[in-house]
Amino acid sequence: MGRWGLRRGARGCVGGGGGGGCAPGAGRAAGPGSRPPACPRMGSAWGSAARRGGSARPRLVPEVTRVGIQSHLLSMGASLVKLEAVAQQSARTRLLPLLHSELWHLRQVSMAEHLKAVPVEAAPMKAEPGPMAKEDPNVRGSKDRGLKKWEETEPQAKRLKNNEEDEEHSKKLPKRKIVLLMAYSGKGYHGMQRNLGSSQFKTIEDDLVSALVQSGCIPENHGEDMKKMSFQRCARTDKGVSAAGQIVSLKVWLIDNILEKINSHLPSHIRILGLKRVTGSFNSKNRCDARTYFYMLPTFAFAHKDHDIQDERYRLSPETLEKVNQLLAGYKGTHNFHNFTSQKGPKEPSARRYIMEMHCEAPFMREGMEFAVIKIKGQSFMMHQIRKMIGLVIAVLKGYVPESVMERSWGEEKVDIPKAPGLGLVLERVHFEQYNRRFGNDGLHEPLDWVEEEEKMTVFKEQYIYPTIIKTEMEEHSMTNWLNTLPNHDFDAGSQEAKADDGNTKAPASLKGSDGGGDH
């Protein structure tokens, strides 16, 4: 008996089980160039040895007809690619010439013609493939009219599949959690945070997300749903507020020259100054320990309403600067700032905020006008908190309200506090001290200190932020116009409101907060 279950001679092939082989003569060769007729046991021969746990090579029966192979493989939905793989795997078997012959034949005719031209009962098989089968006109009018030739459909489908795979491969770039150091001029924008569904109010994030999509850093659907890229800004700046050191965290594809490509799709007054890898769970808002802002304003805002000139001719004296810093230092520590925002009530724990530093630097001249910068560092700030803190100090210096109102504002009673213009407010930098101590020197991540980008931040402030503040102030007189509204504020309104509440009367509508937003 042969190794593959074929016994040369009068006896047929060896079947599985105990039932014996095929009829005598079924396995005898008919002569040179011919092949044996069909084997009635072809279906049970494939892989029988493997199922019985025998030899590593399956017992294959070569007495299989062309119709048997075709009907068997076609019924399983095998493609030409799979047939070629079978042929390669069968290189050591006697079926290799048979499979190659069938491959050649199947590529020449359509599936419909093959199924109709070669009925299952037919069993002739030649050693060499015949000439290309001609198309049967009757088939074209049958129900198989819509079928195309394999030689046309299979290569086309293969090309489409390869194109899809190439597209997928091109997008399988490293997707990592990073932080971006941003600088922007906030004039003309309704704050930092994106407002989906409200295209009327343009924000900084609108331009940023658009640049990320166009540069190929994120897919388009991530721009529509920012949670998909784990986007988080460190500070939510208000309308008109600028930033020299804003931080956003997100997941992106780390493409080549990523900073240059993003900036190429951003306006000149919005720049990405730096990029660093961070831990996978990093959240720029929650990981931030503190935020530093500065407020740039003309010094005539400190001039007393009864004793000093009220325009750009005013110059800040050392005595007045000392008084300014004395008032600003009163904000240091933890206080209840519910009167400095419209979002919190006096008994809400989140209204208590910790201020680390607040002072006014020496004045300087720009475009013939004297300016000064107030710097403030705190753990976090509520909406409009900084602008109201500065507004109250200005009201005290100008003589509209006594100094004692500052301590009264930290109590539970309502105090009407003026809000300084947003033009001069700038987010200078954010701090990640705890993160830097834990991960900054672990050998895998960089500390988020941005020392190397310090010069870029200074250049951006000098090129875009300072000129915008100065030019807008000189053209629109935002500080002058706001100073003219200070006499309209009733700083004793809190006492009147408390009496109204005791008498179960409704507070005046002018005392209700109307601002929206959140912490930053």
Side-chain angles (χ1 to χ4, degrees):
M1 181 183 296
R3 187 174 183 178
W4 306 109
L6 173 64
R7 183 172 182 175
R8 300 180 183 275
R11 299 185 60 184
C13 67
V14 178
C22 299
R28 183 181 296 112
S34 63
R35 297 200 179 172
C39 174
R41 298 184 178 272
M42 58 154 288
S44 63
W46 294 87
S48 59
R51 289 195 299 270
R52 291 194 300 270
S55 174
R57 292 185 177 181
R59 295 183 62 196
L60 301 177
V61 180
E63 296 90 341
V64 288
T65 66
R66 177 162 62 97
V67 175
I69 290 179
Q70 292 166 347
S71 61
H72 181 69
L73 293 177
L74 290 175
S75 64
M76 295 175 62
S79 66
L80 292 179
V81 178
K82 293 182 180 179
L83 284 173
E84 291 173 348
V86 172
Q88 293 297 329
Q89 296 174 3
S90 307
R92 298 184 180 181
T93 69
R94 299 182 182 179
L95 290 177
L96 181 58
L98 179 60
L99 289 174
H100 279 308
S101 173
E102 290 306 308
L103 285 175
W104 183 91
H105 181 73
L106 291 175
R107 289 185 185 275
Q108 312 307 316
V109 296
S110 67
M111 181 187 294
E113 296 172 9
H114 177 75
L115 293 177
K116 190 171 183 74
V118 186
V120 176
E121 292 78 13
M125 178 175 289
K126 297 182 180 180
E128 297 298 333
M132 181 182 299
K134 297 182 180 179
E135 295 183 357
D136 190 344
N138 298 328
V139 175
R140 289 186 175 274
S142 66
K143 61 181 179 180
D144 300 315
R145 176 177 299 176
L147 294 176
K148 295 184 178 181
K149 289 187 178 181
W150 285 18
E151 61 181 346
E152 297 175 356
T153 58
E154 183 64 18
Q156 181 179 4
K158 192 172 182 180
R159 283 195 301 270
L160 292 175
K161 183 178 180 181
N162 290 339
N163 291 338
E164 293 176 358
E165 291 177 354
D166 293 342
E167 185 177 356
E168 288 292 327
H169 180 72
S170 64
K171 292 189 175 182
K172 286 183 179 179
L173 299 171
K175 197 171 185 181
R176 298 291 184 264
K177 194 67 167 288
I178 64 166
V179 292
L180 297 176
L181 174 65
M182 291 186 63
Y184 54 84
S185 175
K187 183 182 178 182
Y189 290 90
H190 284 72
M192 170 70 181
Q193 186 175 5
R194 193 179 190 191
N195 300 313
L196 291 175
S198 179
S199 58
Q200 178 182 358
F201 303 104
K202 189 177 183 180
T203 66
I204 299 294
E205 289 180 5
D206 287 332
D207 285 350
L208 174 61
V209 171
S210 176
L212 292 173
V213 173
Q214 294 181 59
S215 61
C217 297
I218 61 172
E220 188 173 356
N221 62 338
H222 284 27
E224 299 171 357
D225 185 1
M226 299 174 68
K227 292 182 180 180
K228 292 183 178 181
M229 58 176 168
S230 303
F231 186 93
Q232 182 63 57
R233 85 282 305 166
C234 185
R236 179 166 36 185
T237 54
D238 300 340
K239 176 183 177 181
V241 178
S242 301
Q246 171 75 281
I247 296 293
V248 297
S249 58
L250 68 160
K251 290 182 178 180
V252 299
W253 286 314
L254 292 177
I255 61 177
D256 296 334
N257 302 320
I258 182 171
L259 291 185
E260 291 79 0
K261 291 181 179 178
I262 297 175
N263 283 325
S264 66
H265 297 284
L266 286 172
S268 59
H269 55 270
I270 302 178
R271 293 288 93 181
I272 305 298
L273 304 181
L275 178 152
K276 290 187 179 182
R277 288 279 304 277
V278 290
T279 58
S281 60
F282 184 88
N283 183 300
S284 60
K285 180 182 177 182
N286 298 337
R287 282 285 188 177
C288 183
D289 304 311
R291 299 156 175 86
T292 297
Y293 285 82
F294 73 80
Y295 189 86
M296 183 176 175
L297 74 168
T299 57
F300 64 76
F302 301 136
H304 195 280
K305 64 183 178 64
D306 298 326
H307 309 305
D308 302 316
I309 57 178
Q310 304 297 309
D311 54 31
E312 58 272 9
R313 295 173 297 169
Y314 176 84
R315 298 295 179 264
L316 183 64
S317 65
E319 294 78 17
T320 304
L321 178 60
E322 184 179 355
K323 180 64 175 178
V324 172
N325 282 321
Q326 177 188 343
L327 294 174
L328 295 177
Y331 286 119
K332 292 182 182 180
T334 303
H335 303 285
N336 189 333
F337 287 97
H338 74 94
N339 275 313
F340 294 80
T341 183
S342 60
Q343 299 178 326
K344 306 292 181 181
K347 296 184 179 181
E348 293 187 48
S350 59
R352 298 181 63 83
R353 300 296 164 118
Y354 176 56
I355 305 302
M356 304 173 182
E357 183 65 35
M358 193 169 187
H359 69 278
C360 181
E361 296 181 343
F364 55 92
M365 296 293 298
R366 289 293 177 90
E367 303 294 334
M369 185 181 298
E370 189 179 62
F371 288 86
V373 170
I374 297 175
K375 288 197 174 183
I376 175 173
K377 180 181 180 181
Q379 281 186 338
S380 61
F381 299 95
M382 296 175 288
M383 182 69 80
H384 302 147
Q385 178 184 341
I386 297 176
R387 294 164 62 185
K388 287 200 170 191
M389 292 170 68
I390 295 174
L392 182 56
V393 168
I394 292 176
V396 172
L397 290 168
K398 297 194 78 68
Y400 289 107
V401 64
E403 186 176 341
S404 60
V405 76
M406 294 184 65
E407 291 191 14
R408 183 159 60 90
S409 67
W410 299 329
E412 293 189 1
E413 66 174 315
K414 183 70 176 178
V415 178
D416 181 20
I417 298 178
K419 180 177 62 180
L423 174 64
L425 186 60
V426 178
L427 174 64
E428 185 172 41
R429 67 179 65 249
V430 292
H431 308 269
F432 300 93
E433 297 171 1
Q434 292 184 4
Y435 176 85
N436 290 340
R437 285 195 295 268
R438 182 173 180 182
F439 299 104
N441 298 314
D442 63 356
L444 299 175
H445 305 91
E446 300 177 77
L448 303 181
D449 50 20
W450 310 106
V451 176
E452 297 179 358
E453 290 76 15
E454 193 73 36
E455 184 178 354
K456 296 180 182 178
M457 297 167 64
T458 302
V459 170
F460 187 88
K461 287 187 290 185
E462 293 288 347
Q463 188 174 0
Y464 292 99
I465 296 179
Y466 294 154
T468 299
I469 295 174
I470 296 170
K471 182 180 179 181
T472 304
E473 177 60 38
M474 297 183 71
E475 293 179 353
E476 301 179 6
H477 308 286
S478 58
M479 180 58 69
T480 301
N481 295 334
W482 174 78
L483 291 173
N484 293 332
T485 66
L486 289 180
N488 301 330
H489 287 269
D490 185 0
F491 297 95
D492 292 328
S495 300
Q496 298 176 7
E497 183 182 0
K499 294 178 182 179
D501 291 340
D502 292 339
N504 294 324
T505 59
K506 196 171 183 179
S510 61
L511 299 179
K512 296 180 181 180
S514 59
D515 299 325
D519 295 349
H520 57 88

